[in-house]
Amino acid sequence: MIHSWWQDGTTVAPVGWLRVIVATTLGWSALLLIFTTVHSLDMSRLGIAHTLVEVVQAQAVIMIPWLAIFPVIALTRVCQLTAKTPLWIAALELTLLGAGGILAIYLHIIFVYAPFIGAPPEQILDQIPLINWAWDPVIIALTALLSDLCTRAALRARNAREPVEERIVLRNGRQEDILDIGDIIAVSAQGNYVAFVSADREWLQRATLAELVVQLTEREFIHIHRSHLVRSSQITSFERARGRIVRVTLASGHDFPVSARGAEALQSHIANTTLSSLPARALD
């Protein structure tokens, strides 16, 4: 529990404590209505005299522990997902909580429910079918599952609203550099290595440009040459010769050659963006 609940004080934010408590309370109320109706119908079928108020009171008292079990299980699953708790730790936490919840139900029957209805605890426990105890872990598991589904939906909705700052890790021997994708203005092939270029420095990573083309062209990069990709928003000017673009210059001052195929991709991009207003230098 320590891992999930205290790793990050804001982990429950995507769903909200109040929403979880309200939802679980409404779920508890719905189960109370269902169980009360079924119990009342059974008593009527067996010819047992009763009033609806008596049935509601007895059923509400025996279900009191679930008012705490439902929100605790649900909030724990929310915290696990938002804190990215490892699966084995999450499963262990939920198992321990479930066992604790069933123990709480057992003690509640002995010390609260039995005195409430004026019957010996042993008699009540003997009358409870074994299937009823088997349903308790099932209900706990369903609570965790519903909380899981709702939390994942909330996280997806939040991520869709908030732009994600993507990062890459470049490893060079024992050294690791973490770069924000947004800081990369160009990527160039250099033999068996790829150079990630920012405005003021370069990082070499053993890789091929072909491995990166698909990912980078989805992130504002244009494949202008077989050895170069540049971020389109960084292009400040380009040179033309022989009726096509042959070189581009970035805001940082870096310039790169443009191949015939790259010129077609760049020209297509220009036709759909404000790049068409960039200054062009014609070469003789």
Side-chain angles (χ1 to χ4, degrees), residues 10-50:
T10 62
T11 54
V12 79
V15 175
W17 295 87
L18 183 59
R19 290 184 180 181
V20 172
I21 293 173
V22 169
T24 53
T25 301
L26 290 175
W28 181 89
S29 301
L31 288 177
L32 174 62
L33 178 61
I34 294 171
F35 292 154
T36 298
T37 302
V38 172
H39 195 193
S40 179
L41 291 174
D42 279 345
M43 295 179 72
S44 298
R45 181 174 57 85
L46 297 173
I48 301 174
H50 67 282

Side-chain angles (χ1 to χ4, degrees), residues 68-141:
I69 295 173
F70 283 146
V72 168
I73 294 294
L75 287 170
T76 297
R77 190 58 190 139
V78 171
C79 292
Q80 289 173 343
L81 286 173
T82 51
K84 298 182 179 178
T85 303
L87 183 60
W88 71 271
I89 295 180
L92 179 61
E93 288 178 347
L94 292 172
T95 300
L96 293 175
L97 281 176
I102 294 174
L103 177 61
I105 294 171
Y106 180 84
L107 295 176
H108 175 78
I109 292 173
I110 295 175
F111 296 107
V112 178
Y113 184 68
F116 176 78
I117 66 174
E122 298 82 2
Q123 178 183 345
I124 297 175
L125 292 172
D126 288 340
Q127 292 176 349
I128 297 177
L130 185 59
I131 189 64
N132 285 19
W133 293 105
W135 269 109
D136 289 340
V138 173
I139 295 175
I140 290 172

Side-chain angles (χ1 to χ4, degrees), residues 6 19-20 43 56 59 186 252 266:
W6 298 106
R19 290 184 180 181
V20 172
M43 295 179 72
V56 171
Q59 197 64 49
S252 61
L266 185 57

